Amino acid sequence: MLAERFDVEEGGDLRRQAAGAAALVADPTVPVDGELLDAAGDTLRVVANFAVGYDNIDVEACRARGVVVTNTPDVLTNANAALAVALMLAAARRLGEAERLVRAGRWTGWEPGQLLGRELSGTVVGILGLGRIGRRVAELLRGFDVSLLGTSRSPHPDVEQRLAVDRVSFDELVGRSDFVTLHVPLSEETRHLIDDDALARFKPGAILVNTARGGLIDSAALVSALRAGRLAGAGLDVYENEPKVPQELAELENVVLAPHIGSATATTRDAMASLVAENVIAVLEGHDPVTPVWR
Ligand code: 8YV
């Protein structure tokens, strides 16, 4: 879509390529800061992020330069929420461990007490952040017979009622939930939201799932809580310093690890790509962006 209309350059030296560009297409691995914006210069009109999260972008710096910022909401909501549910089940049913056993040829036959996991049914699931993705998690969990708790900045009684979610405080959520799943954006306010202090307030034996951003969790605190048995397990798709994954996590049997694949379905990635292109085209052709973060 972009190449039909504009000169598109991919990869290479970012700062050099940015010079004189009218649009930058970035993803969360690309920090878009004042320096990059200055390298682009005053030709730049839009930064289109290939992601819903835009913690990689200095939005204030864009605003100060009159550069529009866009992201890709909605189109990945279902894919990300589904992966959160998959990680909940994988951690609870010890799928990682089970798969490693089979692949290593160590499975010696059916045993009644082998790899006993936990049911999701009958448990309390805490959804930290009742935005688009958090709400979708609540919908997907309907068939599992769970009780749902959630947090959100402001109340939405209609939504809470429709989803049968009880809106509670952070402390109440972590204290009562058997599963805690993170669906808030990363910001200075939420960085290390899950630290030693928070983990000490979790219900003992809870399972933590993160398909949002690695920076929400203090990894060292998570490792300690898992080692101490304070948490029974974790399902992680995102990490603090991607693509680095702490070795201590990789060594723990009760942790399921995925490589940031929350939106990685063919249909979702196609839809994200189209939305990125539509945003760039709209701005460069003088129209309103489709999904602006700021304009
Ligand atoms: C992206 C994501 O696929 O949307 C986000 O915020 O983290 C993922 O959906 C990934 O960041 C690559 O762009």
Side-chain angles (χ1 to χ4, degrees), residues 27-28 50-54 72 76 80 212-213 260 262-264 269 272:
D27 67 48
F50 187 83
V52 68
Y54 51 87
T72 61
L76 48 69
N80 189 291
R213 282 291 179 267
H260 201 145
S263 65
R269 285 282 164 82
M272 290 166 72

Side-chain angles (χ1 to χ4, degrees), residues 83-105:
L83 188 75
V85 175
L87 288 173
M88 253 174 238
L89 287 166
R93 297 298 301 272
R94 304 169 62 181
L95 265 184
E97 243 181 298
E99 231 234 354
R100 285 190 290 280
L101 182 87
V102 175
R103 284 185 187 274

